[in-house]
Amino acid sequence: MASLLRAAATWGLFPWRGYCSRGTQGKLSKDFVETLRAIVGSPHVSTAASVLEQHGHDESMHRCQPPDAVVWPQNVEQVSELAALCYSHGVPIIPFGTGTGLEGGVCAVKGGVCINLTHMDRILELNPEDFSVVVEPGVTRKALNTHLRDSGLWFPVDPGADASLCGMAATGASGTNAVRYGTMQDNVLNLEVVLPDGRLLHTAGLGRHFRKSAAGYNLTGLFVGSEGTLGLITAATLRLHPVPEATVVATCAFPSVQAAVDSTLHILQAAVPVARIEFLDEVTIDACNRYSNLNCSVAPTLFLEFHGSEQALAEQLQRAEEITLHNGASHFSWAKEAEERSKLWAARHNAWYAVLALRPGCKGYSTDVCVPISRLPEILVQAKEDLKASGFTGAIVGHVGDGNFHCILLVDPEEAEEFRRVEAFAHQLARRALALRGTCTGEHGIGLGKRQLLQEEVGAVGMEIMWQLKATLDPRGLMNPGKVL
């Protein structure tokens, strides 16, 4: 690794001095900003301090690091021109969607130009017979499903936030439906990507939307989860799914964390085709009761959802109830009405804000890990014990059907020592997941905060290959610098 980094310096990679005064981060020249305006139009360029600050952070605890300019391109041609301009002048490029990330992925650690893609918000092509759709980066998850409402199709990947779909591809997002429908890796068929030097790449070929292929390297998979470090995603071809005939949600409370996660494992082993299975500890349930006006028992709880025909749902509900009752569950209840279902899942998606309300004035530090399903009870029970012993105000929620869960820790931003302790807790949890043959992040990504953990996870050779891929696609190190690697 050290030799590769030395080589990078020798090759002239990562030369930030191209646009900065005395080799440090500084303002873009007036001529450069005027060229930006010439490409996208003056109303679509800003150097105002408030706008830069808005684009210098996401929902994470990482400190704001603003860019030097923000631009809003209107089409892929402008994105290509912007990238070529920045590339030729050695100016870093930071892609920006909705800013809902949790690992500092939009922080402009070296300044540069933030390319906000939200004005490119068209649904370019819908192919209902082929179960596919092509969207620009400004299209959000909810906007797409609203557009699809009368088609009998939907896009199920649901990270909670109404994130941009291309941003979800860039971060490898998943969420509550992944246990049934997969993650973004499973639901992206093709990507249009502007490379750092302005060239345009279609990862599966121009206009193609096949369901499977054995042709060449999987370039689509390379860019899904690349966190904006290899190029700017300007369109995504997504896989759609039929809207289920019927949907039922169920909740059940348990005497312990162990009983709840054991039930998760047994439901999956019994091949019950659950669409969602979410764990909320008693702290989260109490917070959701207050924040979202629920009336759930304050105990470790599972939220479940089932999709299928009326007959199939009755069988699934019966089997799930038998399993959960065998593990000591109580208050097993279910609902078919859309209003009740929406209220329950809105509360789950707002769990972040509900937990934040437990300690007003503090910020949330959210970390996630993912382990093989068989190791989930072990790590989740241990994490709960560690959280209690730490004295932190915090909660655990998780997409436990995938072995993925989150710890939400509340931190006083003025207390540096408390923040250091929270970081240490998060890294200890990640290393415990690695020891159990899991990953340091199931869906948040690496961003700024988990780069060392990535090295521990994939090893020296894995890191060397990633650096070589980065150097090939981004030889000047200008795409979202400081993230992932």
Side-chain angles (χ1 to χ4, degrees):
M1 176 55 60
S3 63
L4 189 62
L5 291 174
R6 286 194 298 270
T10 304
W11 300 334
L13 303 186
F14 323 125
W16 313 120
R17 294 189 175 91
Y19 79 112
C20 296
S21 172
R22 296 192 178 94
T24 61
Q25 181 177 333
K27 299 294 183 183
L28 300 171
S29 70
K30 183 180 293 187
D31 287 345
F32 188 90
V33 174
E34 287 304 314
T35 307
L36 294 177
R37 292 193 172 106
I39 293 172
V40 299
S42 291
H44 306 304
V45 177
S46 180
T47 56
S50 60
V51 174
L52 301 183
E53 182 177 348
Q54 176 190 349
H55 287 79
H57 65 90
D58 54 15
E59 298 276 355
S60 72
M61 284 288 296
H62 294 286
R63 68 182 177 87
C64 178
Q65 299 183 76
D68 298 311
V70 179
V71 296
W72 287 264
Q74 311 301 300
N75 53 57
V76 65
E77 291 78 18
Q78 290 181 357
V79 177
S80 181
E81 286 187 62
L82 290 167
L85 174 69
C86 291
Y87 184 84
S88 65
H89 286 77
V91 176
I93 304 164
I94 305 94
F96 191 96
T98 55
T100 54
L102 290 166
E103 291 295 343
V106 299
C107 297
V109 297
K110 298 291 184 180
V113 173
C114 174
I115 299 182
N116 184 319
L117 296 161
T118 55
H119 286 191
M120 296 171 60
D121 58 358
R122 295 177 299 163
I123 296 173
L124 298 174
E125 184 180 334
L126 174 61
N127 302 291
E129 297 86 359
D130 295 326
F131 299 91
S132 71
V133 66
V134 184
V135 298
E136 288 188 323
V139 179
T140 66
R141 173 181 63 85
K142 289 182 181 179
L144 175 60
N145 280 324
T146 298
H147 181 82
L148 295 171
R149 185 171 292 162
D150 298 325
S151 71
L153 301 171
W154 72 310
F155 185 72
V157 182
D158 178 5
D162 189 22
S164 63
L165 291 158
C166 289
M168 288 166 57
T171 57
S174 54
T176 58
N177 287 308
V179 65
R180 174 72 173 267
Y181 297 99
T183 70
M184 288 302 287
Q185 282 282 3
D186 306 297
N187 287 281
V188 177
L189 304 176
N190 199 352
L191 293 171
E192 178 185 82
V193 181
V194 172
L195 298 175
D197 60 3
R199 289 179 296 160
L200 192 62
L201 168 69
H202 295 90
T203 57
L206 179 61
R208 304 192 187 282
H209 52 269
F210 40 72
R211 297 294 287 271
K212 64 179 183 180
S213 171
Y217 299 129
N218 183 359
L219 296 180
T220 304
L222 175 63
F223 283 89
V224 174
S226 60
E227 301 186 39
T229 62
L230 302 179
L232 298 112
I233 299 174
T234 52
T237 304
L238 305 174
R239 177 182 178 183
L240 301 177
H241 298 258
V243 173
E245 176 187 326
T247 300
V248 173
V249 298
T251 64
C252 48
F254 292 85
S256 66
V257 172
Q258 182 76 50
V261 293
D262 282 347
S263 290
T264 300
L265 189 58
H266 296 159
I267 286 171
L268 296 174
Q269 288 173 334
V272 178
V274 64
R276 308 194 212 197
I277 183 164
E278 296 287 298
F279 170 80
L280 298 85
D281 72 357
E282 73 282 359
V283 176
T284 310
I285 285 292
D286 186 38
C288 288
N289 280 345
R290 300 183 201 182
Y291 188 85
S292 299
N293 296 315
L294 297 184
N295 190 30
C296 296
S297 298
V298 178
T301 298
L302 290 180
F303 286 4
L304 304 100
E305 186 167 283
F306 305 91
H307 296 169
S309 67
E310 296 284 356
Q311 181 180 349
L313 290 184
E315 295 173 354
Q316 293 170 31
L317 273 172
Q318 180 183 354
R319 188 73 182 106
E321 184 173 10
E322 290 172 354
I323 292 170
T324 57
L325 291 176
H326 178 75
N327 283 291
S330 59
H331 306 290
F332 187 97
S333 60
W334 54 272
K336 287 186 177 180
E337 293 75 16
E339 185 177 349
E340 287 189 55
R341 290 190 282 111
S342 296
K343 182 178 180 180
L344 191 70
W345 290 116
R348 168 61 186 90
H349 288 322
N350 287 328
W352 166 260
Y353 302 104
V355 173
L356 287 180
L358 295 176
R359 194 179 172 193
C362 291
K363 292 193 173 184
Y365 185 110
S366 180
T367 188
D368 83 307
V369 297
C370 187
V371 296
I373 296 291
S374 65
R375 311 308 294 269
L376 180 64
E378 176 183 349
I379 190 171
L380 220 164
V381 169
Q382 185 62 57
K384 186 64 180 176
E385 291 176 358
D386 291 346
L387 185 55
K388 288 180 178 177
S390 71
F392 294 129
T393 300
I396 296 178
V397 297
H399 318 306
V400 286
D402 307 312
N404 179 209
F405 68 94
H406 311 266
C407 281
I408 304 171
L409 307 169
L410 302 186
V411 188
D412 184 342
E414 304 301 320
E415 293 290 338
E417 178 57 30
E418 185 178 36
F419 183 68
R420 281 193 290 271
R421 288 179 56 231
V422 164
E423 280 192 313
F425 179 96
H427 281 78
Q428 178 189 44
L429 176 63
R431 290 191 169 99
R432 184 169 285 130
L434 295 181
L436 296 176
R437 300 187 179 183
T439 175
C440 66
T441 175
E443 58 185 12
H444 289 180
I446 297 297
L448 286 171
K450 291 190 172 181
R451 289 173 293 176
Q452 175 59 42
L453 292 164
L454 177 64
Q455 295 182 35
E456 296 174 27
E457 181 169 327
V458 304
V461 175
M463 290 302 299
E464 187 172 358
I465 296 299
M466 290 187 192
W467 275 107
Q468 289 171 346
L469 287 168
K470 170 75 169 172
T472 298
L473 291 168
D474 181 18
R476 303 193 72 181
L478 298 175
M479 277 305 312
N480 209 11
K483 319 299 164 45
V484 183
L485 303 179

